[in-house]
Amino acid sequence: MIISRMSFGLSVVLLLVCGVFASQTQAAIVVDGRVGEEEGYSLLGSITPSKDANKVSDAKLYLHQDEVTFDLYVGVVLPLEFVDNSYGSDGSLPQTHTHSSWGGNKDNKHKFKHLLNSDDAEFVLTFGGEEIEFEIDYLKQFGNTYRADVVGGGDDDDDGDDDDGHGDDGAAIQAASSLEYNLENVAFLTSESPEVNLDYSTADPTLADWIFEVAYEFRIDGDVFNGVRILTDDGFADGVNFAIDKIHASPSKDGAFKDVTPNESFSSVAIPEPGVMAMAITGLIATGMSWGRRRERLAE
């Protein structure tokens, strides 16, 4: 009976411990336009705007390089003071679907059409004497779907076939935007975005997952790095430079991002320290043995 109790308790512990360690492994990044600490990125940096830095926050720069394929994952989240994913439609005012920070006749100032086939971003990555330069359209229409697209290469026809987001040299092999994520995963809203409050919360709780930050996310083929890691714990390796050549947002609120590079300071995306994990495992062992004793009492 004692062996049975211990066997059950240890089985529970093993399952729970495996779950703890699995949760700490680097999550596989999905390039879908949803960018953040929980998405599997390992580094977080910032990029200061080239204009109105006193009024506009820094953009966030998320980075991760796969240890096996050497693919480089990049996420750029633009500040809400610059542009956002709120938009309205024509009609009598007041309307509440475009955020008040657009000011004045706000619902006639920012519309879905301004984000579609208009806004884009140009990026440059240099390393080892090589330069990768490409442009990402924030949102394009392919048949009945909308998604981001890397300009140059691939199939740019409206059917969307085989257009895997290849840049002019084929290095950028995948791209997505936060508005693409919204339309595919939250709600297909092409006339008005969710009704938005001052703090960017939504009036409709069923649309609470709508991402108002404009974000570009992309993956660069690891083959171009020839098996070399271009990221360190402190950011980009020596001789590697990343820059935003230009962010085109028409219209935008304040600020600009043109010919800007990341600030020197990067931080690691936090994971629990070994001491914290050890305490958690100790607690799980006690929990497992307790379950085993309770199971024996119930059996008796």
Side-chain angles (χ1 to χ4, degrees):
M1 183 67 69
I2 294 176
I3 294 177
S4 174
R5 183 179 69 191
M6 292 180 63
S7 175
F8 177 80
L10 289 174
S11 296
V12 172
V13 169
L14 287 173
L15 288 172
L16 294 175
V17 169
C18 288
V20 168
F21 278 106
S23 67
Q24 304 312 318
T25 58
Q26 196 73 38
I29 296 176
V30 178
V31 180
D32 59 3
R34 183 180 179 89
V35 181
E37 287 85 346
E38 70 280 3
E39 299 304 313
Y41 285 94
S42 52
L43 289 174
L44 171 60
S46 61
I47 302 176
T48 301
S50 56
K51 177 184 176 183
D52 296 333
N54 61 324
K55 296 190 293 184
V56 178
S57 304
D58 291 351
K60 294 181 179 180
L61 175 63
Y62 291 90
L63 300 169
H64 179 71
Q65 188 172 19
D66 190 275
E67 296 182 356
V68 177
T69 65
F70 296 95
D71 287 358
L72 178 67
Y73 294 84
V74 181
V76 176
V77 181
L78 300 175
L80 292 167
E81 302 97 328
F82 176 59
V83 69
D84 62 33
N85 284 327
S86 72
Y87 44 89
S89 61
D90 294 322
S92 59
L93 295 179
Q95 294 185 21
T96 55
H97 296 270
T98 303
H99 192 265
S100 59
S101 57
W102 285 99
N105 194 355
K106 56 189 177 65
D107 287 282
N108 287 325
K109 183 174 289 186
H110 202 226
K111 301 178 183 179
F112 181 75
K113 68 179 182 180
H114 294 141
L115 297 163
L116 177 66
N117 299 324
S118 173
D119 288 6
D120 57 47
E122 298 177 17
F123 302 99
V124 180
L125 179 67
T126 57
F127 60 95
E130 300 291 332
E131 181 177 279
I132 299 173
E133 184 175 1
F134 54 93
E135 176 182 345
I136 299 177
D137 281 332
Y138 186 61
L139 198 72
K140 290 181 67 176
Q141 184 172 3
F142 296 93
N144 294 324
T145 64
Y146 297 88
R147 56 185 175 82
D149 183 55
V150 180
V151 177
D155 177 7
D156 292 328
D157 295 334
D158 289 340
D159 59 10
D161 292 341
D162 301 325
D163 193 346
D164 297 323
H166 291 276
D168 54 359
D169 54 7
I173 55 178
Q174 196 175 10
S177 70
S178 54
L179 185 51
E180 171 187 341
Y181 178 89
N182 287 335
L183 298 178
E184 291 189 357
N185 298 280
V186 183
F188 193 74
L189 304 176
T190 59
S191 178
E192 296 177 329
S193 61
E195 186 174 350
V196 60
N197 300 317
L198 184 62
D199 62 354
Y200 277 99
S201 61
T202 58
D204 184 347
T206 65
L207 301 175
D209 290 335
W210 186 272
I211 302 172
F212 284 101
E213 292 89 348
V214 167
Y216 292 84
E217 186 174 29
F218 55 91
R219 176 167 62 100
I220 295 178
D221 193 345
D223 289 345
V224 303
F225 305 124
N226 298 316
V228 175
R229 291 195 58 80
I230 67 167
L231 293 184
T232 70
D233 293 339
D234 300 318
F236 288 102
D238 291 341
V240 180
N241 296 288
F242 175 81
I244 295 178
D245 191 27
K246 181 181 66 175
I247 299 288
H248 173 74
S250 179
S252 61
K253 304 174 191 177
D254 291 308
F257 289 86
K258 185 176 181 180
D259 296 326
V260 288
T261 57
N263 298 316
E264 292 185 2
S265 177
F266 278 83
S267 61
S268 298
V269 175
I271 59 173
E273 297 180 356
V276 177
M277 293 182 63
M279 292 176 62
I281 292 172
T282 301
L284 290 175
I285 291 175
T287 301
M289 297 306 295
S290 175
W291 285 355
R293 288 192 295 270
R294 182 173 183 273
R295 182 172 178 268
E296 181 185 83
R297 288 196 299 270
L298 290 174
E300 292 175 349

